[in-house]
PDB file of all heavy atoms in Angstrom:
ATOM      1  N   ARG A   1      86.336-143.419 -20.785  1.00 64.00           N
ATOM      2  CA  ARG A   1      84.994-143.466 -21.381  1.00 64.00           C
ATOM      3  C   ARG A   1      84.540-142.088 -21.825  1.00 64.00           C
ATOM      4  O   ARG A   1      83.685-141.951 -22.704  1.00 64.00           O
ATOM      5  CB  ARG A   1      83.987-144.056 -20.394  1.00 64.00           C
ATOM      6  CG  ARG A   1      83.606-143.136 -19.252  1.00 64.00           C
ATOM      7  CD  ARG A   1      82.521-143.740 -18.369  1.00 64.00           C
ATOM      8  NE  ARG A   1      82.134-142.834 -17.310  1.00 64.00           N
ATOM      9  CZ  ARG A   1      81.231-141.886 -17.457  1.00 64.00           C
ATOM     10  NH1 ARG A   1      80.640-141.709 -18.628  1.00 64.00           N
ATOM     11  NH2 ARG A   1      80.916-141.092 -16.456  1.00 64.00           N
ATOM     12  N   LEU A   2      85.090-141.009 -21.216  1.00 71.00           N
ATOM     13  CA  LEU A   2      84.702-139.659 -21.600  1.00 71.00           C
ATOM     14  C   LEU A   2      85.146-139.334 -23.018  1.00 71.00           C
ATOM     15  O   LEU A   2      84.558-138.471 -23.670  1.00 71.00           O
ATOM     16  CB  LEU A   2      85.298-138.642 -20.622  1.00 71.00           C
ATOM     17  CG  LEU A   2      84.865-138.783 -19.156  1.00 71.00           C
ATOM     18  CD1 LEU A   2      85.581-137.763 -18.296  1.00 71.00           C
ATOM     19  CD2 LEU A   2      83.356-138.611 -19.015  1.00 71.00           C
ATOM     20  N   ASP A   3      86.184-140.005 -23.501  1.00 68.00           N
ATOM     21  CA  ASP A   3      86.677-139.723 -24.849  1.00 68.00           C
ATOM     22  C   ASP A   3      85.664-140.137 -25.917  1.00 68.00           C
ATOM     23  O   ASP A   3      85.754-139.679 -27.056  1.00 68.00           O
ATOM     24  CB  ASP A   3      88.002-140.453 -25.083  1.00 68.00           C
ATOM     25  CG  ASP A   3      89.105-139.931 -24.167  1.00 68.00           C
ATOM     26  OD1 ASP A   3      88.993-138.777 -23.717  1.00 68.00           O
ATOM     27  OD2 ASP A   3      90.048-140.693 -23.877  1.00 68.00           O
ATOM     28  N   ASP A   4      84.732-141.003 -25.545  1.00 80.00           N
ATOM     29  CA  ASP A   4      83.735-141.464 -26.519  1.00 80.00           C
ATOM     30  C   ASP A   4      82.501-140.573 -26.562  1.00 80.00           C
ATOM     31  O   ASP A   4      81.618-140.791 -27.396  1.00 80.00           O
ATOM     32  CB  ASP A   4      83.306-142.902 -26.181  1.00 80.00           C
ATOM     33  CG  ASP A   4      84.475-143.877 -26.240  1.00 80.00           C
ATOM     34  OD1 ASP A   4      85.374-143.660 -27.073  1.00 80.00           O
ATOM     35  OD2 ASP A   4      84.486-144.843 -25.448  1.00 80.00           O
ATOM     36  N   LEU A   5      82.412-139.583 -25.659  1.00 89.00           N
ATOM     37  CA  LEU A   5      81.252-138.698 -25.622  1.00 89.00           C
ATOM     38  C   LEU A   5      81.477-137.515 -26.549  1.00 89.00           C
ATOM     39  O   LEU A   5      82.566-136.956 -26.607  1.00 89.00           O
ATOM     40  CB  LEU A   5      81.000-138.207 -24.194  1.00 89.00           C
ATOM     41  CG  LEU A   5      80.775-139.298 -23.139  1.00 89.00           C
ATOM     42  CD1 LEU A   5      80.589-138.674 -21.766  1.00 89.00           C
ATOM     43  CD2 LEU A   5      79.565-140.146 -23.500  1.00 89.00           C
ATOM     44  N   ASP A   6      80.431-137.114 -27.257  1.00 92.00           N
ATOM     45  CA  ASP A   6      80.556-136.051 -28.254  1.00 92.00           C
ATOM     46  C   ASP A   6      79.443-135.027 -28.065  1.00 92.00           C
ATOM     47  O   ASP A   6      78.289-135.399 -27.843  1.00 92.00           O
ATOM     48  CB  ASP A   6      80.496-136.640 -29.658  1.00 92.00           C
ATOM     49  CG  ASP A   6      81.068-135.696 -30.706  1.00 92.00           C
ATOM     50  OD1 ASP A   6      80.582-134.556 -30.802  1.00 92.00           O
ATOM     51  OD2 ASP A   6      82.007-136.090 -31.416  1.00 92.00           O
ATOM     52  N   MET A   7      79.796-133.762 -28.160  1.00 92.00           N
ATOM     53  CA  MET A   7      78.798-132.696 -28.051  1.00 92.00           C
ATOM     54  C   MET A   7      77.724-132.813 -29.123  1.00 92.00           C
ATOM     55  O   MET A   7      76.575-132.399 -28.925  1.00 92.00           O
ATOM     56  CB  MET A   7      79.486-131.332 -28.159  1.00 92.00           C
ATOM     57  CG  MET A   7      80.186-130.878 -26.893  1.00 92.00           C
ATOM     58  SD  MET A   7      79.025-130.386 -25.601  1.00 92.00           S
ATOM     59  CE  MET A   7      80.177-129.742 -24.369  1.00 92.00           C
ATOM     60  N   ALA A   8      78.084-133.360 -30.266  1.00 90.00           N
ATOM     61  CA  ALA A   8      77.117-133.487 -31.356  1.00 90.00           C
ATOM     62  C   ALA A   8      75.977-134.431 -31.002  1.00 90.00           C
ATOM     63  O   ALA A   8      74.928-134.417 -31.654  1.00 90.00           O
ATOM     64  CB  ALA A   8      77.822-133.971 -32.618  1.00 90.00           C
ATOM     65  N   ASP A   9      76.174-135.270 -29.986  1.00 88.00           N
ATOM     66  CA  ASP A   9      75.121-136.205 -29.579  1.00 88.00           C
ATOM     67  C   ASP A   9      73.967-135.510 -28.855  1.00 88.00           C
ATOM     68  O   ASP A   9      72.892-136.094 -28.712  1.00 88.00           O
ATOM     69  CB  ASP A   9      75.701-137.278 -28.650  1.00 88.00           C
ATOM     70  CG  ASP A   9      76.781-138.101 -29.328  1.00 88.00           C
ATOM     71  OD1 ASP A   9      76.742-138.196 -30.572  1.00 88.00           O
ATOM     72  OD2 ASP A   9      77.648-138.643 -28.624  1.00 88.00           O
ATOM     73  N   LEU A  10      74.202-134.293 -28.354  1.00 86.00           N
ATOM     74  CA  LEU A  10      73.191-133.589 -27.573  1.00 86.00           C
ATOM     75  C   LEU A  10      72.365-132.688 -28.487  1.00 86.00           C
ATOM     76  O   LEU A  10      72.901-131.837 -29.187  1.00 86.00           O
ATOM     77  CB  LEU A  10      73.850-132.746 -26.479  1.00 86.00           C
ATOM     78  CG  LEU A  10      74.708-133.513 -25.471  1.00 86.00           C
ATOM     79  CD1 LEU A  10      75.282-132.554 -24.439  1.00 86.00           C
ATOM     80  CD2 LEU A  10      73.890-134.597 -24.790  1.00 86.00           C
ATOM     81  N   ARG A  11      71.054-132.878 -28.458  1.00 79.00           N
ATOM     82  CA  ARG A  11      70.137-132.100 -29.306  1.00 79.00           C
ATOM     83  C   ARG A  11      69.843-130.760 -28.637  1.00 79.00           C
ATOM     84  O   ARG A  11      69.576-130.692 -27.440  1.00 79.00           O
ATOM     85  CB  ARG A  11      68.845-132.899 -29.514  1.00 79.00           C
ATOM     86  CG  ARG A  11      67.812-132.215 -30.379  1.00 79.00           C
ATOM     87  CD  ARG A  11      66.733-133.221 -30.777  1.00 79.00           C
ATOM     88  NE  ARG A  11      66.162-133.862 -29.608  1.00 79.00           N
ATOM     89  CZ  ARG A  11      65.116-133.381 -28.924  1.00 79.00           C
ATOM     90  NH1 ARG A  11      64.568-132.237 -29.309  1.00 79.00           N
ATOM     91  NH2 ARG A  11      64.625-134.019 -27.889  1.00 79.00           N
ATOM     92  N   GLY A  12      69.898-129.686 -29.423  1.00 79.00           N
ATOM     93  CA  GLY A  12      69.601-128.362 -28.892  1.00 79.00           C
ATOM     94  C   GLY A  12      70.689-127.883 -27.940  1.00 79.00           C
ATOM     95  O   GLY A  12      71.873-128.136 -28.132  1.00 79.00           O
ATOM     96  N   LEU A  13      70.265-127.153 -26.893  1.00 85.00           N
ATOM     97  CA  LEU A  13      71.163-126.645 -25.845  1.00 85.00           C
ATOM     98  C   LEU A  13      72.267-125.755 -26.415  1.00 85.00           C
ATOM     99  O   LEU A  13      73.367-125.681 -25.875  1.00 85.00           O
ATOM    100  CB  LEU A  13      71.800-127.801 -25.063  1.00 85.00           C
ATOM    101  CG  LEU A  13      70.841-128.750 -24.346  1.00 85.00           C
ATOM    102  CD1 LEU A  13      71.614-129.934 -23.754  1.00 85.00           C
ATOM    103  CD2 LEU A  13      70.087-128.015 -23.245  1.00 85.00           C
ATOM    104  N   ASP A  14      71.981-125.055 -27.517  1.00 85.00           N
ATOM    105  CA  ASP A  14      73.026-124.266 -28.169  1.00 85.00           C
ATOM    106  C   ASP A  14      73.505-123.110 -27.301  1.00 85.00           C
ATOM    107  O   ASP A  14      74.690-122.768 -27.313  1.00 85.00           O
ATOM    108  CB  ASP A  14      72.520-123.737 -29.516  1.00 85.00           C
ATOM    109  CG  ASP A  14      72.219-124.863 -30.487  1.00 85.00           C
ATOM    110  OD1 ASP A  14      73.104-125.716 -30.683  1.00 85.00           O
ATOM    111  OD2 ASP A  14      71.101-124.906 -31.012  1.00 85.00           O
ATOM    112  N   ASP A  15      72.578-122.505 -26.558  1.00 88.00           N
ATOM    113  CA  ASP A  15      72.964-121.432 -25.646  1.00 88.00           C
ATOM    114  C   ASP A  15      73.985-121.937 -24.633  1.00 88.00           C
ATOM    115  O   ASP A  15      75.037-121.323 -24.421  1.00 88.00           O
ATOM    116  CB  ASP A  15      71.698-120.926 -24.932  1.00 88.00           C
ATOM    117  CG  ASP A  15      71.987-119.853 -23.907  1.00 88.00           C
ATOM    118  OD1 ASP A  15      72.523-120.175 -22.831  1.00 88.00           O
ATOM    119  OD2 ASP A  15      71.644-118.694 -24.179  1.00 88.00           O
ATOM    120  N   ALA A  16      73.702-123.086 -24.015  1.00 91.00           N
ATOM    121  CA  ALA A  16      74.614-123.657 -23.010  1.00 91.00           C
ATOM    122  C   ALA A  16      75.915-124.124 -23.655  1.00 91.00           C
ATOM    123  O   ALA A  16      76.994-123.980 -23.062  1.00 91.00           O
ATOM    124  CB  ALA A  16      73.932-124.816 -22.286  1.00 91.00           C
ATOM    125  N   LYS A  17      75.849-124.673 -24.856  1.00 92.00           N
ATOM    126  CA  LYS A  17      77.066-125.127 -25.528  1.00 92.00           C
ATOM    127  C   LYS A  17      78.006-123.958 -25.812  1.00 92.00           C
ATOM    128  O   LYS A  17      79.227-124.072 -25.636  1.00 92.00           O
ATOM    129  CB  LYS A  17      76.713-125.843 -26.836  1.00 92.00           C
ATOM    130  CG  LYS A  17      76.102-127.224 -26.654  1.00 92.00           C
ATOM    131  CD  LYS A  17      75.784-127.837 -28.006  1.00 92.00           C
ATOM    132  CE  LYS A  17      75.150-129.211 -27.873  1.00 92.00           C
ATOM    133  NZ  LYS A  17      74.788-129.778 -29.181  1.00 92.00           N
ATOM    134  N   PHE A  18      77.429-122.825 -26.242  1.00 92.00           N
ATOM    135  CA  PHE A  18      78.266-121.662 -26.499  1.00 92.00           C
ATOM    136  C   PHE A  18      78.908-121.183 -25.194  1.00 92.00           C
ATOM    137  O   PHE A  18      80.098-120.855 -25.154  1.00 92.00           O
ATOM    138  CB  PHE A  18      77.442-120.537 -27.119  1.00 92.00           C
ATOM    139  CG  PHE A  18      78.197-119.241 -27.251  1.00 92.00           C
ATOM    140  CD1 PHE A  18      79.239-119.121 -28.144  1.00 92.00           C
ATOM    141  CD2 PHE A  18      77.857-118.139 -26.463  1.00 92.00           C
ATOM    142  CE1 PHE A  18      79.951-117.928 -28.260  1.00 92.00           C
ATOM    143  CE2 PHE A  18      78.564-116.953 -26.573  1.00 92.00           C
ATOM    144  CZ  PHE A  18      79.604-116.844 -27.470  1.00 92.00           C
ATOM    145  N   ALA A  19      78.128-121.154 -24.112  1.00 94.00           N
ATOM    146  CA  ALA A  19      78.666-120.732 -22.822  1.00 94.00           C
ATOM    147  C   ALA A  19      79.796-121.642 -22.371  1.00 94.00           C
ATOM    148  O   ALA A  19      80.827-121.184 -21.856  1.00 94.00           O
ATOM    149  CB  ALA A  19      77.544-120.716 -21.779  1.00 94.00           C
ATOM    150  N   ILE A  20      79.633-122.935 -22.567  1.00 96.00           N
ATOM    151  CA  ILE A  20      80.667-123.898 -22.173  1.00 96.00           C
ATOM    152  C   ILE A  20      81.908-123.738 -23.040  1.00 96.00           C
ATOM    153  O   ILE A  20      83.044-123.850 -22.559  1.00 96.00           O
ATOM    154  CB  ILE A  20      80.101-125.322 -22.250  1.00 96.00           C
ATOM    155  CG1 ILE A  20      79.195-125.581 -21.036  1.00 96.00           C
ATOM    156  CG2 ILE A  20      81.207-126.368 -22.333  1.00 96.00           C
ATOM    157  CD1 ILE A  20      78.463-126.881 -21.074  1.00 96.00           C
ATOM    158  N   GLU A  21      81.710-123.443 -24.310  1.00 95.00           N
ATOM    159  CA  GLU A  21      82.857-123.236 -25.193  1.00 95.00           C
ATOM    160  C   GLU A  21      83.665-122.018 -24.749  1.00 95.00           C
ATOM    161  O   GLU A  21      84.908-122.048 -24.728  1.00 95.00           O
ATOM    162  CB  GLU A  21      82.381-123.057 -26.635  1.00 95.00           C
ATOM    163  CG  GLU A  21      83.502-123.047 -27.655  1.00 95.00           C
ATOM    164  CD  GLU A  21      82.972-123.034 -29.079  1.00 95.00           C
ATOM    165  OE1 GLU A  21      81.738-122.984 -29.269  1.00 95.00           O
ATOM    166  OE2 GLU A  21      83.804-123.076 -30.000  1.00 95.00           O
ATOM    167  N   VAL A  22      82.969-120.951 -24.365  1.00 96.00           N
ATOM    168  CA  VAL A  22      83.658-119.770 -23.849  1.00 96.00           C
ATOM    169  C   VAL A  22      84.395-120.113 -22.559  1.00 96.00           C
ATOM    170  O   VAL A  22      85.556-119.733 -22.358  1.00 96.00           O
ATOM    171  CB  VAL A  22      82.658-118.616 -23.616  1.00 96.00           C
ATOM    172  CG1 VAL A  22      83.353-117.434 -22.935  1.00 96.00           C
ATOM    173  CG2 VAL A  22      82.037-118.163 -24.926  1.00 96.00           C
ATOM    174  N   ALA A  23      83.722-120.835 -21.658  1.00 97.00           N
ATOM    175  CA  ALA A  23      84.344-121.214 -20.387  1.00 97.00           C
ATOM    176  C   ALA A  23      85.604-122.041 -20.627  1.00 97.00           C
ATOM    177  O   ALA A  23      86.636-121.832 -19.982  1.00 97.00           O
ATOM    178  CB  ALA A  23      83.345-121.994 -19.527  1.00 97.00           C
ATOM    179  N   ALA A  24      85.534-122.988 -21.545  1.00 97.00           N
ATOM    180  CA  ALA A  24      86.686-123.847 -21.835  1.00 97.00           C
ATOM    181  C   ALA A  24      87.820-123.045 -22.459  1.00 97.00           C
ATOM    182  O   ALA A  24      89.000-123.283 -22.175  1.00 97.00           O
ATOM    183  CB  ALA A  24      86.266-124.980 -22.763  1.00 97.00           C
TER     184      ALA A  24
END
């Protein structure tokens, strides 16, 4: 079910998304 989840679905949170991208 995780394969159906997309980061684009989350509004805002760009600071956290960038941090997660670096972590990954």
Side-chain angles (χ1 to χ4, degrees):
R1 73 176 182 85
L2 299 177
D3 295 336
D4 299 327
L5 302 178
D6 199 303
M7 282 288 186
D9 299 334
L10 301 181
R11 180 167 54 89
L13 300 173
D14 296 308
D15 177 286
K17 287 180 181 177
F18 173 69
I20 283 174
E21 189 173 3
V22 174

